[in-house]
PDB file of all heavy atoms in Angstrom:
ATOM      1  N   ALA A1411       0.829  -1.211   0.000  1.00 43.00           N
ATOM      2  CA  ALA A1411       0.000   0.000   0.000  1.00 43.00           C
ATOM      3  C   ALA A1411       0.857   1.252   0.000  1.00 43.00           C
ATOM      4  O   ALA A1411       0.515   2.265  -0.593  1.00 43.00           O
ATOM      5  CB  ALA A1411      -0.918  -0.001   1.221  1.00 43.00           C
ATOM      6  N   ARG A1412       2.027   1.201   0.677  1.00 44.00           N
ATOM      7  CA  ARG A1412       2.892   2.372   0.741  1.00 44.00           C
ATOM      8  C   ARG A1412       3.800   2.466  -0.473  1.00 44.00           C
ATOM      9  O   ARG A1412       4.291   3.527  -0.832  1.00 44.00           O
ATOM     10  CB  ARG A1412       3.764   2.298   2.006  1.00 44.00           C
ATOM     11  CG  ARG A1412       2.977   2.483   3.287  1.00 44.00           C
ATOM     12  CD  ARG A1412       3.907   2.302   4.465  1.00 44.00           C
ATOM     13  NE  ARG A1412       5.089   3.178   4.314  1.00 44.00           N
ATOM     14  CZ  ARG A1412       6.195   3.008   5.021  1.00 44.00           C
ATOM     15  NH1 ARG A1412       6.282   1.999   5.880  1.00 44.00           N
ATOM     16  NH2 ARG A1412       7.213   3.829   4.864  1.00 44.00           N
ATOM     17  N   ALA A1413       4.049   1.321  -1.098  1.00 42.00           N
ATOM     18  CA  ALA A1413       5.014   1.313  -2.191  1.00 42.00           C
ATOM     19  C   ALA A1413       4.553   2.140  -3.367  1.00 42.00           C
ATOM     20  O   ALA A1413       5.362   2.695  -4.101  1.00 42.00           O
ATOM     21  CB  ALA A1413       5.271  -0.121  -2.639  1.00 42.00           C
ATOM     22  N   PHE A1414       3.255   2.266  -3.606  1.00 41.00           N
ATOM     23  CA  PHE A1414       2.743   2.958  -4.772  1.00 41.00           C
ATOM     24  C   PHE A1414       1.949   4.209  -4.417  1.00 41.00           C
ATOM     25  O   PHE A1414       1.076   4.634  -5.161  1.00 41.00           O
ATOM     26  CB  PHE A1414       1.867   2.007  -5.613  1.00 41.00           C
ATOM     27  CG  PHE A1414       2.645   0.880  -6.209  1.00 41.00           C
ATOM     28  CD1 PHE A1414       2.672  -0.364  -5.589  1.00 41.00           C
ATOM     29  CD2 PHE A1414       3.364   1.066  -7.374  1.00 41.00           C
ATOM     30  CE1 PHE A1414       3.394  -1.395  -6.137  1.00 41.00           C
ATOM     31  CE2 PHE A1414       4.083   0.032  -7.912  1.00 41.00           C
ATOM     32  CZ  PHE A1414       4.111  -1.204  -7.305  1.00 41.00           C
ATOM     33  N   THR A1415       2.220   4.825  -3.278  1.00 44.00           N
ATOM     34  CA  THR A1415       1.554   6.082  -2.933  1.00 44.00           C
ATOM     35  C   THR A1415       2.164   7.201  -3.746  1.00 44.00           C
ATOM     36  O   THR A1415       3.274   7.112  -4.263  1.00 44.00           O
ATOM     37  CB  THR A1415       1.719   6.382  -1.437  1.00 44.00           C
ATOM     38  OG1 THR A1415       3.111   6.482  -1.148  1.00 44.00           O
ATOM     39  CG2 THR A1415       1.077   5.313  -0.587  1.00 44.00           C
ATOM     40  N   THR A1416       1.456   8.310  -3.868  1.00 43.00           N
ATOM     41  CA  THR A1416       1.933   9.455  -4.640  1.00 43.00           C
ATOM     42  C   THR A1416       3.236   9.987  -4.103  1.00 43.00           C
ATOM     43  O   THR A1416       4.144  10.342  -4.845  1.00 43.00           O
ATOM     44  CB  THR A1416       0.866  10.583  -4.614  1.00 43.00           C
ATOM     45  OG1 THR A1416      -0.370  10.059  -5.073  1.00 43.00           O
ATOM     46  CG2 THR A1416       1.314  11.754  -5.479  1.00 43.00           C
ATOM     47  N   SER A1417       3.353  10.038  -2.773  1.00 43.00           N
ATOM     48  CA  SER A1417       4.572  10.579  -2.183  1.00 43.00           C
ATOM     49  C   SER A1417       5.780   9.711  -2.502  1.00 43.00           C
ATOM     50  O   SER A1417       6.860  10.202  -2.749  1.00 43.00           O
ATOM     51  CB  SER A1417       4.415  10.707  -0.665  1.00 43.00           C
ATOM     52  OG  SER A1417       4.139   9.437  -0.096  1.00 43.00           O
ATOM     53  N   SER A1418       5.580   8.413  -2.501  1.00 41.00           N
ATOM     54  CA  SER A1418       6.707   7.532  -2.753  1.00 41.00           C
ATOM     55  C   SER A1418       7.145   7.597  -4.210  1.00 41.00           C
ATOM     56  O   SER A1418       8.305   7.376  -4.535  1.00 41.00           O
ATOM     57  CB  SER A1418       6.362   6.083  -2.391  1.00 41.00           C
ATOM     58  OG  SER A1418       5.317   5.606  -3.231  1.00 41.00           O
ATOM     59  N   LEU A1419       6.223   7.914  -5.140  1.00 42.00           N
ATOM     60  CA  LEU A1419       6.559   8.012  -6.550  1.00 42.00           C
ATOM     61  C   LEU A1419       7.171   9.364  -6.892  1.00 42.00           C
ATOM     62  O   LEU A1419       7.979   9.479  -7.801  1.00 42.00           O
ATOM     63  CB  LEU A1419       5.313   7.780  -7.420  1.00 42.00           C
ATOM     64  CG  LEU A1419       4.726   6.368  -7.378  1.00 42.00           C
ATOM     65  CD1 LEU A1419       3.454   6.313  -8.190  1.00 42.00           C
ATOM     66  CD2 LEU A1419       5.744   5.351  -7.899  1.00 42.00           C
ATOM     67  N   SER A1420       6.771  10.382  -6.183  1.00 45.00           N
ATOM     68  CA  SER A1420       7.224  11.729  -6.516  1.00 45.00           C
ATOM     69  C   SER A1420       8.590  12.048  -5.936  1.00 45.00           C
ATOM     70  O   SER A1420       9.334  12.838  -6.482  1.00 45.00           O
ATOM     71  CB  SER A1420       6.212  12.759  -6.011  1.00 45.00           C
ATOM     72  OG  SER A1420       6.069  12.657  -4.602  1.00 45.00           O
ATOM     73  N   LYS A1421       8.944  11.459  -4.828  1.00 45.00           N
ATOM     74  CA  LYS A1421      10.212  11.761  -4.202  1.00 45.00           C
ATOM     75  C   LYS A1421      11.282  10.795  -4.715  1.00 45.00           C
ATOM     76  O   LYS A1421      11.076   9.598  -4.730  1.00 45.00           O
ATOM     77  CB  LYS A1421      10.105  11.614  -2.672  1.00 45.00           C
ATOM     78  CG  LYS A1421       9.189  12.640  -2.044  1.00 45.00           C
ATOM     79  CD  LYS A1421       9.149  12.441  -0.548  1.00 45.00           C
ATOM     80  CE  LYS A1421       8.225  13.460   0.109  1.00 45.00           C
ATOM     81  NZ  LYS A1421       8.163  13.269   1.569  1.00 45.00           N
ATOM     82  N   PRO A1422      12.405  11.329  -5.181  1.00 48.00           N
ATOM     83  CA  PRO A1422      13.466  10.432  -5.645  1.00 48.00           C
ATOM     84  C   PRO A1422      14.063   9.643  -4.502  1.00 48.00           C
ATOM     85  O   PRO A1422      14.245  10.161  -3.413  1.00 48.00           O
ATOM     86  CB  PRO A1422      14.499  11.408  -6.255  1.00 48.00           C
ATOM     87  CG  PRO A1422      14.262  12.692  -5.539  1.00 48.00           C
ATOM     88  CD  PRO A1422      12.778  12.744  -5.260  1.00 48.00           C
ATOM     89  N   ARG A1423      14.365   8.394  -4.806  1.00 49.00           N
ATOM     90  CA  ARG A1423      14.952   7.553  -3.788  1.00 49.00           C
ATOM     91  C   ARG A1423      16.433   7.858  -3.683  1.00 49.00           C
ATOM     92  O   ARG A1423      17.107   8.160  -4.658  1.00 49.00           O
ATOM     93  CB  ARG A1423      14.740   6.073  -4.156  1.00 49.00           C
ATOM     94  CG  ARG A1423      13.278   5.681  -4.238  1.00 49.00           C
ATOM     95  CD  ARG A1423      13.134   4.223  -4.613  1.00 49.00           C
ATOM     96  NE  ARG A1423      13.754   3.373  -3.606  1.00 49.00           N
ATOM     97  CZ  ARG A1423      13.800   2.050  -3.727  1.00 49.00           C
ATOM     98  NH1 ARG A1423      13.312   1.461  -4.798  1.00 49.00           N
ATOM     99  NH2 ARG A1423      14.363   1.329  -2.785  1.00 49.00           N
ATOM    100  N   SER A1424      16.945   7.780  -2.480  1.00 48.00           N
ATOM    101  CA  SER A1424      18.363   8.043  -2.284  1.00 48.00           C
ATOM    102  C   SER A1424      19.186   6.954  -2.943  1.00 48.00           C
ATOM    103  O   SER A1424      18.816   5.789  -2.938  1.00 48.00           O
ATOM    104  CB  SER A1424      18.688   8.106  -0.778  1.00 48.00           C
ATOM    105  OG  SER A1424      18.337   6.878  -0.164  1.00 48.00           O
ATOM    106  N   ALA A1425      20.313   7.359  -3.541  1.00 50.00           N
ATOM    107  CA  ALA A1425      21.169   6.404  -4.244  1.00 50.00           C
ATOM    108  C   ALA A1425      21.819   5.461  -3.257  1.00 50.00           C
ATOM    109  O   ALA A1425      22.188   5.857  -2.154  1.00 50.00           O
ATOM    110  CB  ALA A1425      22.251   7.159  -5.018  1.00 50.00           C
ATOM    111  N   PRO A1426      21.964   4.216  -3.604  1.00 48.00           N
ATOM    112  CA  PRO A1426      22.628   3.275  -2.702  1.00 48.00           C
ATOM    113  C   PRO A1426      24.082   3.656  -2.531  1.00 48.00           C
ATOM    114  O   PRO A1426      24.694   4.291  -3.385  1.00 48.00           O
ATOM    115  CB  PRO A1426      22.468   1.923  -3.418  1.00 48.00           C
ATOM    116  CG  PRO A1426      22.269   2.274  -4.857  1.00 48.00           C
ATOM    117  CD  PRO A1426      21.530   3.578  -4.854  1.00 48.00           C
ATOM    118  N   SER A1427      24.646   3.257  -1.425  1.00 48.00           N
ATOM    119  CA  SER A1427      26.032   3.610  -1.130  1.00 48.00           C
ATOM    120  C   SER A1427      27.000   2.952  -2.099  1.00 48.00           C
ATOM    121  O   SER A1427      28.024   3.512  -2.446  1.00 48.00           O
ATOM    122  CB  SER A1427      26.381   3.193   0.311  1.00 48.00           C
ATOM    123  OG  SER A1427      26.145   1.796   0.464  1.00 48.00           O
ATOM    124  N   ALA A1428      26.676   1.777  -2.566  1.00 49.00           N
ATOM    125  CA  ALA A1428      27.556   1.087  -3.504  1.00 49.00           C
ATOM    126  C   ALA A1428      26.714   0.488  -4.628  1.00 49.00           C
ATOM    127  O   ALA A1428      25.813  -0.301  -4.368  1.00 49.00           O
ATOM    128  CB  ALA A1428      28.345  -0.015  -2.790  1.00 49.00           C
ATOM    129  N   ARG A1429      26.972   0.919  -5.881  1.00 53.00           N
ATOM    130  CA  ARG A1429      26.200   0.422  -7.019  1.00 53.00           C
ATOM    131  C   ARG A1429      26.755  -0.927  -7.476  1.00 53.00           C
ATOM    132  O   ARG A1429      27.954  -1.092  -7.651  1.00 53.00           O
ATOM    133  CB  ARG A1429      26.276   1.418  -8.175  1.00 53.00           C
ATOM    134  CG  ARG A1429      25.406   1.019  -9.385  1.00 53.00           C
ATOM    135  CD  ARG A1429      25.557   2.040 -10.489  1.00 53.00           C
ATOM    136  NE  ARG A1429      25.063   3.338 -10.039  1.00 53.00           N
ATOM    137  CZ  ARG A1429      23.792   3.699 -10.096  1.00 53.00           C
ATOM    138  NH1 ARG A1429      22.895   2.852 -10.563  1.00 53.00           N
ATOM    139  NH2 ARG A1429      23.421   4.899  -9.691  1.00 53.00           N
ATOM    140  N   ARG A1430      25.850  -1.842  -7.650  1.00 53.00           N
ATOM    141  CA  ARG A1430      26.262  -3.168  -8.096  1.00 53.00           C
ATOM    142  C   ARG A1430      26.639  -3.137  -9.571  1.00 53.00           C
ATOM    143  O   ARG A1430      26.018  -2.446 -10.379  1.00 53.00           O
ATOM    144  CB  ARG A1430      25.135  -4.182  -7.884  1.00 53.00           C
ATOM    145  CG  ARG A1430      24.835  -4.468  -6.416  1.00 53.00           C
ATOM    146  CD  ARG A1430      23.781  -5.557  -6.326  1.00 53.00           C
ATOM    147  NE  ARG A1430      23.488  -5.889  -4.943  1.00 53.00           N
ATOM    148  CZ  ARG A1430      22.590  -6.813  -4.586  1.00 53.00           C
ATOM    149  NH1 ARG A1430      21.917  -7.466  -5.516  1.00 53.00           N
ATOM    150  NH2 ARG A1430      22.379  -7.069  -3.306  1.00 53.00           N
ATOM    151  N   ALA A1431      27.650  -3.884  -9.931  1.00 47.00           N
ATOM    152  CA  ALA A1431      28.059  -3.981 -11.331  1.00 47.00           C
ATOM    153  C   ALA A1431      27.001  -4.759 -12.102  1.00 47.00           C
ATOM    154  O   ALA A1431      26.466  -5.757 -11.615  1.00 47.00           O
ATOM    155  CB  ALA A1431      29.412  -4.693 -11.442  1.00 47.00           C
ATOM    156  N   PRO A1432      26.649  -4.284 -13.305  1.00 45.00           N
ATOM    157  CA  PRO A1432      25.635  -4.996 -14.087  1.00 45.00           C
ATOM    158  C   PRO A1432      26.108  -6.376 -14.501  1.00 45.00           C
ATOM    159  O   PRO A1432      27.303  -6.591 -14.748  1.00 45.00           O
ATOM    160  CB  PRO A1432      25.445  -4.085 -15.314  1.00 45.00           C
ATOM    161  CG  PRO A1432      26.741  -3.338 -15.419  1.00 45.00           C
ATOM    162  CD  PRO A1432      27.201  -3.136 -14.003  1.00 45.00           C
ATOM    163  N   LEU A1433      25.182  -7.281 -14.568  1.00 41.00           N
ATOM    164  CA  LEU A1433      25.497  -8.641 -14.970  1.00 41.00           C
ATOM    165  C   LEU A1433      25.467  -8.710 -16.497  1.00 41.00           C
ATOM    166  O   LEU A1433      24.446  -8.426 -17.121  1.00 41.00           O
ATOM    167  CB  LEU A1433      24.480  -9.627 -14.387  1.00 41.00           C
ATOM    168  CG  LEU A1433      24.649 -11.094 -14.799  1.00 41.00           C
ATOM    169  CD1 LEU A1433      25.990 -11.627 -14.331  1.00 41.00           C
ATOM    170  CD2 LEU A1433      23.514 -11.936 -14.232  1.00 41.00           C
ATOM    171  N   ILE A1434      26.592  -9.029 -17.104  1.00 41.00           N
ATOM    172  CA  ILE A1434      26.696  -9.106 -18.557  1.00 41.00           C
ATOM    173  C   ILE A1434      26.992 -10.540 -18.944  1.00 41.00           C
ATOM    174  O   ILE A1434      27.970 -11.130 -18.484  1.00 41.00           O
ATOM    175  CB  ILE A1434      27.801  -8.186 -19.089  1.00 41.00           C
ATOM    176  CG1 ILE A1434      27.508  -6.732 -18.702  1.00 41.00           C
ATOM    177  CG2 ILE A1434      27.942  -8.309 -20.600  1.00 41.00           C
ATOM    178  CD1 ILE A1434      28.596  -5.776 -19.125  1.00 41.00           C
ATOM    179  N   VAL A1435      26.144 -11.081 -19.779  1.00 37.00           N
ATOM    180  CA  VAL A1435      26.337 -12.439 -20.269  1.00 37.00           C
ATOM    181  C   VAL A1435      26.779 -12.349 -21.715  1.00 37.00           C
ATOM    182  O   VAL A1435      26.048 -11.851 -22.562  1.00 37.00           O
ATOM    183  CB  VAL A1435      25.041 -13.266 -20.152  1.00 37.00           C
ATOM    184  CG1 VAL A1435      25.267 -14.673 -20.700  1.00 37.00           C
ATOM    185  CG2 VAL A1435      24.567 -13.312 -18.705  1.00 37.00           C
ATOM    186  N   ARG A1436      27.978 -12.793 -22.013  1.00 43.00           N
ATOM    187  CA  ARG A1436      28.515 -12.727 -23.356  1.00 43.00           C
ATOM    188  C   ARG A1436      28.436 -14.101 -24.017  1.00 43.00           C
ATOM    189  O   ARG A1436      28.906 -15.081 -23.464  1.00 43.00           O
ATOM    190  CB  ARG A1436      29.972 -12.250 -23.329  1.00 43.00           C
ATOM    191  CG  ARG A1436      30.144 -10.846 -22.738  1.00 43.00           C
ATOM    192  CD  ARG A1436      31.589 -10.399 -22.873  1.00 43.00           C
ATOM    193  NE  ARG A1436      31.814  -9.103 -22.252  1.00 43.00           N
ATOM    194  CZ  ARG A1436      31.567  -7.926 -22.826  1.00 43.00           C
ATOM    195  NH1 ARG A1436      31.064  -7.912 -24.042  1.00 43.00           N
ATOM    196  NH2 ARG A1436      31.811  -6.795 -22.195  1.00 43.00           N
ATOM    197  N   ALA A1437      27.846 -14.099 -25.211  1.00 45.00           N
ATOM    198  CA  ALA A1437      27.799 -15.342 -25.966  1.00 45.00           C
ATOM    199  C   ALA A1437      29.162 -15.610 -26.591  1.00 45.00           C
ATOM    200  O   ALA A1437      29.946 -14.700 -26.823  1.00 45.00           O
ATOM    201  CB  ALA A1437      26.733 -15.247 -27.060  1.00 45.00           C
ATOM    202  N   LYS A1438      29.453 -16.845 -26.844  1.00 58.00           N
ATOM    203  CA  LYS A1438      30.722 -17.221 -27.457  1.00 58.00           C
ATOM    204  C   LYS A1438      30.787 -16.669 -28.874  1.00 58.00           C
ATOM    205  O   LYS A1438      29.848 -16.788 -29.649  1.00 58.00           O
ATOM    206  CB  LYS A1438      30.860 -18.740 -27.474  1.00 58.00           C
ATOM    207  CG  LYS A1438      32.181 -19.211 -28.048  1.00 58.00           C
ATOM    208  CD  LYS A1438      32.259 -20.721 -28.035  1.00 58.00           C
ATOM    209  CE  LYS A1438      33.573 -21.198 -28.633  1.00 58.00           C
ATOM    210  NZ  LYS A1438      33.668 -22.672 -28.654  1.00 58.00           N
ATOM    211  N   ASP A1439      31.907 -16.037 -29.213  1.00 63.00           N
ATOM    212  CA  ASP A1439      32.103 -15.463 -30.536  1.00 63.00           C
ATOM    213  C   ASP A1439      32.391 -16.585 -31.526  1.00 63.00           C
ATOM    214  O   ASP A1439      33.443 -17.221 -31.456  1.00 63.00           O
ATOM    215  CB  ASP A1439      33.260 -14.464 -30.488  1.00 63.00           C
ATOM    216  CG  ASP A1439      33.406 -13.697 -31.797  1.00 63.00           C
ATOM    217  OD1 ASP A1439      32.706 -14.052 -32.768  1.00 63.00           O
ATOM    218  OD2 ASP A1439      34.207 -12.752 -31.842  1.00 63.00           O
TER     219      ASP A1439
END
């Protein structure tokens, strides 16, 4: 109920302290 309230959508969320590296899956060339 709180996750989709107007206030929660309008206010930017604080950035996490450490950004996770994206997971990249490379196909065999």
